[in-house]
């Protein structure tokens, strides 16, 4: 079985760990979000790609869900002593090494897709990890600060501001001129199943779909496209997805996220059992829907979620 997964950071990475257990013989291609990428201290940082790589490669800080296990922050402390910022985004010493290697390779002319493949040669995540594009795309958020509207990088909105101010718009800057990275469209065309994990539907999966050609390829693939709701009981499982959903005019409900993707793209949708009442609404929108437990409390629990997604895909196919 060939499975393509559109993944953001923590939610996508943890789902992938369960998917690997649920389908051990599958060929899994992950199209990773790069809209969260940011340049810090002269280095190219790819948070979502690295979270997938570290999680599946056994190097993630399990409690946080991001960053490296056993991390230290000597370099961060030294930068602060020099007065070099930003101080709101903390890179650990082990993590710095990844960003240094990436930046050196990019500077030598290698595209991000080739760099990601080289980094994965160390971590061996057990999936093929592709950036959504080799081109520069950065998600910016329109906010109001000190009485003035301004656009800030998504990382500043999410990490420094903690999404404490309303988001008036979310813009994947550069996406309209970007091209899918090598292998992305080919993987979609060859897929047996395409999965939207419980990643942020606006700034993770949504940003991937904003790259011209990707949404169209998925819609035309002719295979089941199934998703798992990141919203349980009208609230995000983790993070602040409700804030960016509001910015694009989508309610923070499992049904609203399904209809946001739309029946032209999505064939099946899983909601949590607490949202079983939403099943009829989703199906009325032309998307097959089932209610199952969706809390990723452990790898076995996540594997059960993944099996339910694959079972729904088979139901759609039949």
């Amino acid at each position: 079985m060939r499975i393509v997964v559109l993944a953001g950071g923590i939610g996508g990475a943890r789902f992938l760990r369960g998917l690997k257990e649920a389908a051990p013989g599958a060929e899994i291609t992950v199209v990773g979000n790069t809209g969260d990428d940011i340049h810090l201290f002269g280095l190219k940082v790819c948070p979502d790609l690295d979270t997938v790589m570290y999680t599946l490669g056994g190097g993630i800080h399990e409690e946080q869900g991001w960053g490296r296990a056993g991390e230290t922050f000597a370099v961060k402390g030294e930068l602060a002593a020099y007065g070099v910022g930003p101080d709101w985004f903390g890179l650990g010493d082990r993590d710095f090494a990844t960003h240094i290697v990436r930046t050196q390779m990019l500077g030598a002319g290698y595209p991000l897709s080739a760099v990601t493949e080289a980094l994965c040669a160390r971590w061996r995540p057990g999936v093929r990890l592709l950036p959504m594009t080799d081109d520069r795309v950065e998600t910016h958020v329109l906010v109001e600060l000190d009485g003035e509207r301004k656009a800030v990088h998504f990382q500043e909105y999410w990490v420094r501001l903690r999404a404490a101010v309303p988001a008036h718009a979310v813009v994947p800057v550069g996406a309209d001129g970007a091209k899918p990275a090598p292998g992305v469209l080919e993987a979609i065309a060859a897929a047996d199943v395409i999965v939207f994990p419980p990643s942020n539907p606006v700034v993770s999966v949504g940003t991937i779909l904003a790259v011209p050609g990707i949404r169209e390829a998925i819609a035309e693939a002719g295979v089941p496209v199934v998703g798992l709701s990141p919203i349980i009981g009208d609230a995000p499982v983790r993070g602040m997805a409700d804030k960016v959903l509001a910015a694009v005019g989508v309610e923070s409900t499992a049904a609203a996220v399904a209809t946001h993707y739309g029946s032209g793209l999505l064939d099946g949708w899983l909601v949590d059992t607490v949202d079983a009442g939403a099943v009829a609404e989703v199906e009325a929108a032309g998307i097959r829907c089932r209610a199952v437990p969706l809390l990723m409390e452990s790898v076995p629990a996540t594997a059960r979620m993944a099996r339910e997604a694959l079972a729904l895909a088979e139901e759609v196919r039949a």
Side-chain angles (χ1 to χ4, degrees):
M1 181 185 295
R2 291 165 296 191
I3 306 172
V4 170
V5 180
L6 275 58
I10 299 172
R14 289 181 171 172
F15 175 77
L16 284 162
R17 194 154 53 181
L19 179 62
K20 286 178 61 183
E21 182 170 305
E27 178 185 308
I28 302 172
T29 299
V30 180
V31 180
N33 169 45
T34 60
D36 290 7
D37 292 7
I38 188 169
H39 285 80
L40 295 169
F41 313 111
L43 302 175
K44 169 81 165 179
V45 181
C46 299
D48 283 4
L49 294 179
D50 290 346
T51 295
V52 171
M53 185 174 70
Y54 292 156
T55 300
L56 300 185
I60 199 74
H61 188 301
E62 288 289 347
E63 289 74 24
Q64 292 178 163
W66 51 270
R68 290 285 304 279
E71 191 60 280
T72 55
F73 293 89
V75 174
K76 179 185 177 184
E78 287 298 308
L79 287 167
Y82 283 115
V84 175
D87 58 3
W88 50 264
F89 199 101
L91 296 178
D93 301 327
R94 296 171 185 265
D95 207 20
F96 261 111
T98 299
H99 310 316
I100 290 169
V101 172
R102 176 186 293 116
T103 306
Q104 287 180 331
M105 291 189 69
L106 290 170
Y110 291 95
L112 182 60
S113 51
V115 175
T116 303
E117 182 179 3
L119 293 173
C120 285
R122 173 192 174 184
W123 290 100
R124 301 185 183 278
V127 301
R128 186 185 183 199
L129 178 59
L130 302 175
M132 65 188 196
T133 181
D134 282 335
D135 300 314
R136 183 170 178 172
V137 176
E138 290 184 359
T139 300
H140 289 197
V141 182
L142 182 64
V143 298
E144 187 168 321
L145 294 174
D146 302 322
E148 179 184 357
R149 285 202 174 187
K150 60 182 293 188
V152 299
H153 192 288
F154 171 73
Q155 295 294 352
E156 184 174 358
Y157 175 74
W158 207 248
V159 180
R160 184 175 78 85
L161 299 176
R162 301 296 299 167
V165 297
H168 297 287
V170 179
V171 182
V173 178
D176 55 352
K179 296 179 181 178
V184 169
L185 298 184
E186 292 82 355
I188 292 170
D192 297 306
V193 180
I194 299 169
V195 180
F196 296 177
S199 293
N200 191 304
V202 179
V203 296
S204 293
V205 177
T207 304
I208 298 170
L209 294 173
V211 176
I214 294 182
R215 175 185 289 270
E216 295 80 1
I218 292 171
E220 297 167 4
V223 300
V225 180
V226 299
L228 299 91
S229 176
I231 304 296
I232 295 179
D234 298 344
V237 177
R238 64 174 296 139
M240 300 155 280
D242 53 326
K243 304 296 180 67
V244 290
L245 281 168
V248 297
V250 178
E251 293 182 345
S252 185
T253 69
V257 174
T259 54
H260 169 66
Y261 285 132
S263 59
L265 190 66
L266 202 61
D267 299 306
W269 187 243
L270 293 180
V271 301
D272 190 79
T273 50
V274 303
D275 295 312
V279 170
E281 181 181 349
V282 175
E283 295 210 320
I287 302 166
R288 193 166 301 200
C289 186
R290 299 291 179 264
V292 301
L294 288 186
L295 284 175
M296 295 190 287
E297 299 171 313
S298 64
V299 175
T302 307
R304 288 192 290 272
M305 289 168 49
R307 292 188 191 99
E308 292 284 3
L310 296 177
L312 181 57
E314 285 305 309
E315 189 178 322
V316 167
R317 193 191 314 276

